[in-house]
Amino acid sequence: MLKRKNKEAEKKREKAIEKLVKKMTLDEKIAMVHGATLFNSGAVERLGIPGIVTSDGPMGVRAEFMEDRWLPAGNQDDMVSYLPSNSALASSWNKELAHTVGYVLGAEARGRGKDVILAPGINIKRDPRCGRNFEYMSEDPCLTAALAVPFIQGVQENDVAACVKHFAANVQETDRSMVDETIDERTLYEIYLPAFKAAVQEGDSYSIMGAYNKINGFHCCENKRLLDGILREEWGYDGAVISDWGGIHKTKEAAECSIDLEMSVFPDFDDYKLANPLKELIQKGEISEAVVDAKVRNLLRMMYRLKMIGPKKESRKAGTYNAPAHREAALRTAQESMILLKNEDQVLPLDPKKIKKLVVIGANAATLHANGGGSAEIKALYEICPLAGIKMYLGGNTQVEYVKGYYVPEKLQESDVSWQATSVDDEKGIEVGQAVRDESSEQANARHRRDAEERLKAQEREQAEIHEKNEKLFAQAIEAAKDADAVIFVGGLNHEFDVEGFDRPDMKLPYEQDLLIDALLQVRKDIVLTFVGGSPVEMPWREQAKTILWSYYAGMETGNAFAKIIFGEVNPSGKLAETFPTRYEDCVTAKNGQFGVWGKITLEEGPYFGYRHFDRQHIAPAFCFGHGLSYTEYEYSGLTMKKEKGRDIKLTFSVKNIGKRAGAEIVQVYIAPISARTARPDKELKAFAKVELGAGKSKKVSLTLKQEDFAYFDESLHKFVTDAGDYEILVGASCEDIRLRGIATLS
Ligand code: BGC
């Protein structure tokens, strides 16, 4: 009944769209398919069609920008809830939280008058050094898809479109707008596409953003294979495709493939490829007007869904921003996102009653991160840093001494409002400066070598300054550490490293933190080592350390969540959504990474990166995918498997909390093909659940493995196939900590 009603409503909508398109002049259609300001598309007032108002981004609604200059407007009413980054959210492995965070983001976007929020970022993390990994969820497609779907649904319940990005395989920031990635079909279909497919088919994302990079020779925003072949034809997508800002390079190519709206970072709106250049080609008869009609239809369809136009306009939700409930959601997510990597001798939780004097060491204890990172930057209503959280938690009876510990050059501590302006200049150099685009690959390589040398020299100068200043700071920190009941170190990265437009040069902690940690461990074996950062770092001292707690950029309530975990009010339950390698050289991308021939990379490793690579090569990472400890322990038992309809398999097992505290365990199910006919990863995550358990309590967990979970992509048949045979089913607390095993036989 409901289905029939929906079908009828859809028919009506399509008719109304058709009518509108027929009424529109070519100029009006062209106005709709390109930016009229830096974040809005053109309106057709005569027909009551408003412009589409977009905004970044994944961690909250970005501050207002000037219409034609890439600079913040400087308003006082655009502070918002600063939400945990997608990397933090993913570490919670909590689908319901993903929905809540999506809902909050959607409500805030609508509250700020937006139609499209440019989130979530769901690119698969191929290389731990990618500057935007903090914005993305995981190295694993199953986990990413599972969280992206409820996130998108949450956003869109507010009559705001999610714009899931960046489609596809936006795996690096180095040379991001020109790099050509050679990727085989199987890797695309098995690794880089599934989360996008789920986002549009299950999440019903009203829009999707084409990525900057090229895949197999064609820019993603002009890529017929990707946009027409896969997205529209194979996946049946009828939503709006929006270009990344400046992602379109050629008029005819973009016009004739399924990209609907061109956005860019430059204010020369009439010269956008889908503006006057498109009109001219249509008038010359080189492009059919029908291609613009198709784009306009897709945009109007999204506008109908958002109730921007059509009969339901009056009932469009209003949203709101900075609601107290939004802050509660931010706190809960932050709490569930932090990962206890190590906790020997149960150093954590600390008992506040036993601490008269606490020493907190490390610049990240007192660093605010919201206003950085690129387009994900946020003008936060507030942000509680770890030091503030700790002090607020302990109150006045505990002496808290803070020492900075290591030197962070001043420029990094300023709020960087000019970031975008600089980025625009850079982009312009590539986009507009013909000299750059026309240079031979030898010239380009030479130019990049020169740039790299200059950067290196600047880094060396900075390194010398850091080294000089650190002498005194280290000595102070070591002295302070000796004289305290407990010591907490808060180090890690910041948005100088986790940033759009650049990849990290290595995976090391900056500012000589490793040296300081070594020295601190000499005087305090019980030091609580904590980190805030957006991507894995090497931890060469990790064998000596007893306690390591990791937090991604966890939003406005980071400090409160930190304190609640450290002092035991909250039991940590986050688990790694990506591998933490021991050293960068262990990663497959160290041999096959960004710095080959400029402008080209081949993803030779196929699906074998992240845990798939570490498994295959038998390399032990520092902390594996899925790892995370708790203040309690869990016991797994009684795995049974039952065939359900078709070839689906229902798994049932019990998890018991055998400790003295309530907690939540993330149980993971991996499939390991036995005697596979084709080379396949040793094991792959296919299902998971987060189970809340009171002390001493146990629960039955049921999870279903579908037939397609056993499949791989067969390039010769161009489809997913499932081989008959035996598969080991591994149920575990991480990808290495397998607790239960069974064999499933597919006939
Ligand atoms: C980024 C997008 C972002 C857009 C608008 C681009 O540089 O890649 O993620 O949404 O700018 O700020």
Side-chain angles (χ1 to χ4, degrees):
M1 180 68 181
L2 191 66
K3 253 193 179 159
R4 217 181 53 223
K5 247 183 148 176
N6 283 347
K7 277 260 165 289
E8 276 164 23
E10 272 173 30
K11 256 195 188 159
K12 261 196 186 155
R13 183 194 65 207
E14 292 305 308
K15 255 186 152 170
I17 289 174
E18 229 27 74
K19 245 177 146 176
L20 271 177
V21 175
K22 285 221 167 79
K23 281 189 199 156
M24 288 166 81
T25 64
L26 178 60
D27 280 329
E28 286 169 339
K29 292 179 205 168
I30 297 266
M32 279 190 70
V33 300
H34 69 89
T37 74
L38 291 170
F39 280 94
N40 304 350
S41 69
V44 184
E45 274 162 28
R46 183 177 70 90
L47 299 172
I49 303 170
I52 298 165
V53 181
T54 75
S55 173
D56 285 303
M59 307 202 291
V61 189
R62 195 180 193 181
E64 293 303 323
F65 264 56
M66 292 182 178
E67 292 201 335
D68 56 1
R69 288 185 65 198
W70 201 266
L71 285 174
N75 297 350
Q76 292 306 323
D77 56 2
D78 53 358
M79 295 92 169
V80 290
S81 303
Y82 165 34
L83 301 169
S85 59
N86 283 338
S87 47
L89 177 62
S91 316
S92 77
W93 295 58
N94 186 332
K95 298 175 205 172
E96 181 226 317
L97 261 190
H99 178 268
T100 305
V101 173
Y103 186 86
V104 169
L105 183 62
E108 298 231 341
R110 194 62 217 113
R112 285 264 309 277
K114 309 299 177 191
D115 302 313
V116 177
I117 185 81
L118 306 171
I122 63 165
N123 290 105
I124 295 296
K125 303 184 192 195
R126 170 179 182 251
D127 184 329
R129 297 175 315 161
C130 171
R132 290 186 87 171
N133 275 356
F134 73 98
E135 287 187 62
Y136 305 147
M137 290 178 171
S138 173
E139 68 188 30
D140 184 80
C142 165
L143 179 56
T144 306
L147 298 174
V149 168
F151 187 105
I152 290 164
Q153 289 166 339
V155 168
Q156 297 188 163
E157 280 163 30
N158 296 283
D159 296 336
V160 167
C163 186
V164 59
K165 66 191 189 184
H166 310 85
F167 189 57
N170 194 170
V171 294
Q172 66 179 54
E173 290 302 290
T174 305
D175 194 21
R176 63 177 175 163
S177 43
M178 283 298 172
V179 66
D180 185 5
E181 298 172 12
T182 304
I183 317 179
D184 62 78
E185 287 263 290
R186 178 171 173 199
T187 306
L188 254 186
Y189 275 87
E190 285 185 19
I191 302 287
Y192 294 104
L193 296 182
F196 284 104
K197 184 178 181 195
V200 300
Q201 289 192 336
E202 295 165 48
D204 203 12
S205 192
Y206 297 159
S207 72
I208 184 168
M209 187 188 292
Y212 279 134
N213 51 287
K214 295 180 194 171
I215 294 182
N216 299 332
F218 300 95
H219 272 112
C220 287
C221 292
E222 297 158 7
N223 197 316
K224 269 188 123 30
R225 169 90 191 90
L226 189 68
L227 300 183
D228 294 83
I230 296 174
L231 182 65
R232 299 285 190 202
E233 279 154 38
E234 287 179 27
W235 299 350
Y237 187 58
D238 68 358
V241 185
I242 302 176
S243 77
D244 199 344
W245 270 230
I248 289 182
H249 301 257
K250 296 186 196 123
T251 301
K252 195 164 160 56
E253 280 75 354
E256 290 181 340
C257 90
S258 277
I259 189 117
D260 304 313
L261 173 58
E262 180 186 11
M263 298 302 291
S264 183
V265 288
F266 306 120
D268 50 348
F269 307 112
D270 291 340
D271 296 333
Y272 280 19
K273 304 290 182 286
L274 297 188
N276 284 342
L278 173 60
K279 186 176 159 187
E280 279 159 28
L281 288 186
I282 292 175
Q283 282 169 340
K284 278 196 224 152
E286 287 180 31
I287 293 179
S288 150
E289 192 168 337
V291 301
V292 190
D293 292 354
K295 296 180 195 307
V296 168
R297 263 183 225 116
N298 292 331
L299 292 168
L300 287 173
R301 191 172 302 115
M302 177 179 78
M303 293 165 99
Y304 260 91
R305 289 174 169 148
L306 296 176
K307 304 180 186 140
M308 292 172 69
I309 52 176
K312 294 193 182 150
K313 246 167 84 175
E314 297 309 317
S315 66
R316 189 175 190 195
K317 295 217 173 110
T320 184
Y321 57 114
N322 295 322
H326 298 180
R327 304 199 273 277
E328 276 160 36
L331 174 61
R332 205 180 135 213
T333 311
Q335 286 171 183
E336 288 203 31
S337 76
M338 292 181 188
I339 308 146
L340 184 61
L341 294 174
K342 196 172 174 190
N343 194 25
E344 266 174 23
D345 301 334
Q346 299 183 331
V347 170
L348 282 182
L350 298 179
D351 181 353
K353 284 195 227 79
K354 293 192 184 139
I355 303 171
K356 289 270 163 300
K357 183 176 173 190
L358 174 74
V359 167
V360 179
I361 301 170
N364 254 354
T367 302
L368 301 183
H369 298 284
N371 191 20
S375 56
E377 71 189 6
I378 288 303
K379 198 161 150 191
L381 181 66
Y382 65 79
E383 176 181 353
I384 299 173
C385 65
L387 181 62
I390 288 168
K391 285 188 152 186
M392 285 155 65
Y393 193 91
L394 291 175
N397 292 344
T398 309
Q399 185 195 343
V400 179
E401 184 185 335
Y402 172 61
V403 286
K404 201 160 177 186
Y406 57 88
Y407 176 70
V408 177
E410 285 303 317
K411 69 171 168 82
L412 311 181
Q413 293 166 9
E414 291 158 10
S415 90
D416 186 5
V417 285
S418 67
W419 179 86
Q420 285 293 344
T422 324
S423 139
V424 175
D425 287 346
D426 286 352
E427 297 281 335
K428 207 156 187 167
I430 292 166
E431 231 318 67
V432 178
Q434 284 303 310
V436 176
R437 293 182 87 198
D438 291 347
E439 66 191 349
S440 68
S441 69
E442 287 81 34
Q443 284 166 328
N445 275 323
R447 181 165 61 82
H448 290 295
R449 254 198 313 277
R450 273 197 312 276
D451 286 355
E453 276 162 20
E454 265 167 39
R455 261 202 312 277
L456 203 69
K457 275 190 203 140
Q459 274 164 12
E460 276 167 7
R461 279 195 301 275
E462 195 175 272
Q463 208 45 46
E465 188 193 351
I466 290 169
H467 189 68
E468 190 198 317
K469 296 263 182 12
N470 271 349
E471 206 182 317
K472 200 163 141 211
L473 291 173
F474 279 21
Q476 261 173 9
I478 292 159
E479 263 326 287
K482 285 182 192 160
D483 173 34
D485 299 312
V487 184
I488 300 173
F489 173 83
V490 190
L493 301 170
N494 54 36
H495 286 305
E496 195 55 31
F497 298 88
D498 293 310
V499 67
E500 184 173 333
F502 297 95
D503 298 314
R504 284 188 293 159
D506 52 39
M507 237 182 64
K508 298 194 190 309
L509 276 170
Y511 318 124
E512 300 188 325
Q513 290 178 72
D514 288 332
L515 292 180
L516 174 61
I517 295 170
D518 274 339
L520 287 169
L521 280 165
Q522 301 284 326
V523 294
R524 292 296 301 225
K525 293 232 165 326
D526 63 345
I527 185 169
V528 177
L529 295 172
T530 73
F531 299 90
V532 178
S535 34
V537 295
E538 289 171 11
M539 300 181 181
W541 31 259
R542 74 176 198 288
E543 297 292 340
Q544 290 81 56
K546 285 186 191 293
T547 308
I548 308 173
L549 178 73
W550 181 269
S551 170
Y552 287 94
Y553 301 109
M556 63 206 299
E557 290 283 337
T558 296
N560 281 335
F562 229 80
K564 284 177 191 238
I565 287 179
I566 285 175
F567 299 113
E569 188 180 316
V570 167
N571 192 351
S573 63
K575 293 202 180 194
L576 290 177
E578 62 185 312
T579 308
F580 269 44
T582 304
R583 53 192 155 255
Y584 181 63
E585 290 67 31
D586 289 345
C587 299
V588 72
T589 45
K591 290 161 215 91
N592 195 23
Q594 294 100 316
F595 305 112
V597 178
W598 190 260
K600 260 197 175 317
I601 54 165
T602 303
L603 279 62
E604 273 167 18
E605 73 283 355
Y608 302 100
F609 60 92
Y611 70 87
R612 290 164 174 80
H613 159 71
F614 284 83
D615 270 359
R616 192 183 203 207
Q617 299 300 332
H618 306 290
I619 302 171
F623 300 104
C624 72
F625 177 82
H627 170 76
L629 303 172
S630 157
Y631 296 152
T632 183
E633 280 187 44
Y634 305 96
E635 209 172 67
Y636 292 53
S637 65
L639 173 65
T640 61
M641 291 188 278
K642 212 173 112 212
K643 285 225 165 116
E644 294 210 309
K645 62 175 170 23
R647 280 197 275 180
D648 290 0
I649 293 173
K650 186 172 171 187
L651 311 180
T652 309
F653 54 93
S654 295
V655 188
K656 184 171 184 195
N657 178 348
I658 54 169
K660 292 197 178 73
R661 281 168 182 269
E665 170 70 331
I666 295 161
V667 297
Q668 302 154 43
V669 178
Y670 298 84
I671 294 183
I674 302 173
S675 62
R677 284 197 306 146
T678 320
R680 295 183 68 171
D682 289 7
K683 60 170 150 358
E684 294 186 276
L685 180 78
K686 293 297 174 184
F688 64 90
K690 192 160 191 175
V691 192
E692 287 189 22
L693 287 164
K697 295 275 185 276
S698 84
K699 262 188 198 159
K700 262 213 161 82
V701 181
S702 291
L703 289 165
T704 300
L705 292 175
K706 294 197 172 311
Q707 198 195 124
E708 55 263 33
D709 292 330
F710 294 83
Y712 63 92
F713 190 81
D714 185 318
E715 290 200 350
S716 59
L717 299 173
H718 190 75
K719 63 173 191 186
F720 278 93
V721 294
T722 311
D723 287 342
D726 288 344
Y727 295 81
E728 200 173 10
I729 307 298
L730 310 169
V731 179
S734 77
C735 93
E736 285 178 1
D737 184 5
I738 301 301
R739 307 287 185 88
L740 304 169
R741 289 165 191 268
I743 305 274
T745 306
L746 298 192
S747 50

